[in-house]
Amino acid sequence: MMKRSLLALLAVTLVTLTGCATLKKLFKRPTVSFKTARLSSASLSDATVDLVYEVRNPNSFGLSLAKVDYAFFVEGKQVVAGAPRKGLNLKKNGTSELVFPANVRFADIAPVVQTFLNKDAAAYKAQGSIGIETPVGVLSFPLSKEGTFEVPKIPKVLFEAPRIANISLTGATVEFPLTITNRNSFPLPVAALSGALKVAGANVGTLSTGNLGLLDGGGAKQVTLPLQINFAQAAQAATALRSNNAQQLSWNGQVTSGNQSLPLSLSQLVNFRR
């Protein structure tokens, strides 16, 4: 019985070794190539930059990643980079995407975030390697790429013609229409626009949009903000609203997006309508 078991073990070992030798002989080396860099999310405080690589596995069996060594730099400064989100398995006879996300906090890149956001693009550099588990051992493939990504821009804000809903000797209710345009090619979250408003140089109150949500890339959103103006506190505004001439609007406040609030200043000549 013991002799029979030993023979069976030897047979299994021989088959296994033969299979491994055959597998090694048939194994074809995979290839790794850079595909694209993209912003998967962005606000005025930070952005996630995805670098996408393609792994071509020409074998009739799947492979897996054994190790990942990856670093990501923006404007020469290293930022937090992550491993591929969708696991480490590489499908057989096909191409698998490896997505390496990197979170870029703009405050870590520049002392003044507003200065950084004035740039059209930011330079990045990725470097590292991946190890793929194969029948011939772990094969290492370098990851190296330099390029730029689009830096988020503050939305463009424009006053449309305000409407005087009602006016009396003591005050007026005025509706201020705003058009907020996303100047970026990607969606941008805007938590709020708010600031102090002046009509003809007189302080008349505060306008605030509340949360505007996600603005589509290149898209615009219109909101109308009502404001009650007290003429006793803004006599100059009373004269302006009763006039048929164009008046100067000044709005000084801030725009909030992500975890960042940035100054927003707007001055515009408008005609009031009734």
Side-chain angles (χ1 to χ4, degrees), residues 98-205:
L98 296 181
V99 181
F100 293 85
N103 182 254
V104 184
R105 294 180 67 253
F106 303 141
D108 295 337
I109 305 301
V112 180
V113 171
Q114 190 172 9
T115 301
F116 178 79
L117 295 180
N118 285 331
K119 298 168 65 70
D120 290 328
Y124 72 80
K125 178 181 179 181
Q127 61 186 38
S129 64
I130 58 172
I132 299 179
E133 188 73 54
T134 76
V136 297
V138 176
L139 299 181
S140 182
F141 295 83
L143 302 176
S144 180
K145 183 64 180 177
E146 294 185 28
T148 61
F149 65 87
E150 186 180 348
V151 174
K153 295 288 182 293
I154 294 175
K156 179 182 177 182
V157 182
L158 184 69
F159 277 107
E160 306 298 338
R163 187 178 80 89
I164 302 174
N166 61 67
I167 188 168
S168 67
L169 293 175
T170 59
T173 300
V174 182
E175 296 173 346
F176 293 92
L178 284 175
T179 299
I180 302 103
T181 303
N182 182 5
R183 298 188 292 151
N184 303 288
S185 63
F186 47 83
L188 185 77
V190 178
L193 300 171
S194 62
L197 182 69
K198 291 183 179 181
V199 175
N203 292 311
V204 295

Side-chain angles (χ1 to χ4, degrees), residues 13 30-31 56-57 59 67 74-75 80 110 112 121 127 173 176-177 197 200 203 214 219 237 239 258 268:
T13 302
T31 58
R56 171 66 181 167
N57 178 16
N59 299 285
K67 63 177 181 178
V74 175
E75 300 291 311
V80 178
V112 180
Q127 61 186 38
T173 300
F176 293 92
L197 182 69
N203 292 311
L214 201 62
T239 302
Q268 190 178 333

Side-chain angles (χ1 to χ4, degrees), residues 11-249:
V12 170
T13 302
L14 182 60
V15 170
T16 302
L17 291 175
T18 302
C20 288
T22 302
L23 200 58
K24 288 181 180 180
K25 187 178 293 186
L26 295 176
F27 172 72
K28 299 174 184 177
R29 185 181 177 88
T31 58
V32 178
S33 59
F34 175 78
K35 182 180 180 182
T36 188
R38 65 195 181 204
L39 288 181
S40 61
S41 64
S43 70
L44 296 180
S45 64
D46 65 331
T48 297
V49 183
D50 286 347
L51 257 64
V52 184
Y53 289 83
E54 285 187 336
V55 181
R56 171 66 181 167
N57 178 16
N59 299 285
S60 59
F61 48 87
L63 300 172
S64 61
L65 292 186
K67 63 177 181 178
V68 176
D69 179 19
Y70 182 72
F72 193 82
F73 302 83
V74 175
E75 300 291 311
K77 297 184 179 180
Q78 187 168 0
V79 301
V80 178
R85 300 187 185 99
K86 293 187 177 180
L88 305 178
N89 295 320
L90 307 174
K91 61 186 178 183
K92 62 183 181 181
N93 292 323
T95 300
S96 300
E97 276 194 354
L98 296 181
V99 181
F100 293 85
N103 182 254
V104 184
R105 294 180 67 253
F106 303 141
D108 295 337
I109 305 301
V112 180
V113 171
Q114 190 172 9
T115 301
F116 178 79
L117 295 180
N118 285 331
K119 298 168 65 70
D120 290 328
Y124 72 80
K125 178 181 179 181
Q127 61 186 38
S129 64
I130 58 172
I132 299 179
E133 188 73 54
T134 76
V136 297
V138 176
L139 299 181
S140 182
F141 295 83
L143 302 176
S144 180
K145 183 64 180 177
E146 294 185 28
T148 61
F149 65 87
E150 186 180 348
V151 174
K153 295 288 182 293
I154 294 175
K156 179 182 177 182
V157 182
L158 184 69
F159 277 107
E160 306 298 338
R163 187 178 80 89
I164 302 174
N166 61 67
I167 188 168
S168 67
L169 293 175
T170 59
T173 300
V174 182
E175 296 173 346
F176 293 92
L178 284 175
T179 299
I180 302 103
T181 303
N182 182 5
R183 298 188 292 151
N184 303 288
S185 63
F186 47 83
L188 185 77
V190 178
L193 300 171
S194 62
L197 182 69
K198 291 183 179 181
V199 175
N203 292 311
V204 295
T206 299
L207 288 183
S208 182
T209 64
N211 194 337
L212 295 175
L214 201 62
L215 300 184
D216 293 335
K221 181 171 288 190
Q222 293 183 325
V223 295
T224 298
L225 306 176
L227 183 65
Q228 184 68 39
I229 299 175
N230 187 333
F231 290 161
Q233 300 173 352
Q236 193 171 342
T239 302
L241 292 178
R242 292 190 177 103
S243 167
N244 291 324
N245 298 325
Q247 302 297 330
Q248 194 74 32
L249 288 185

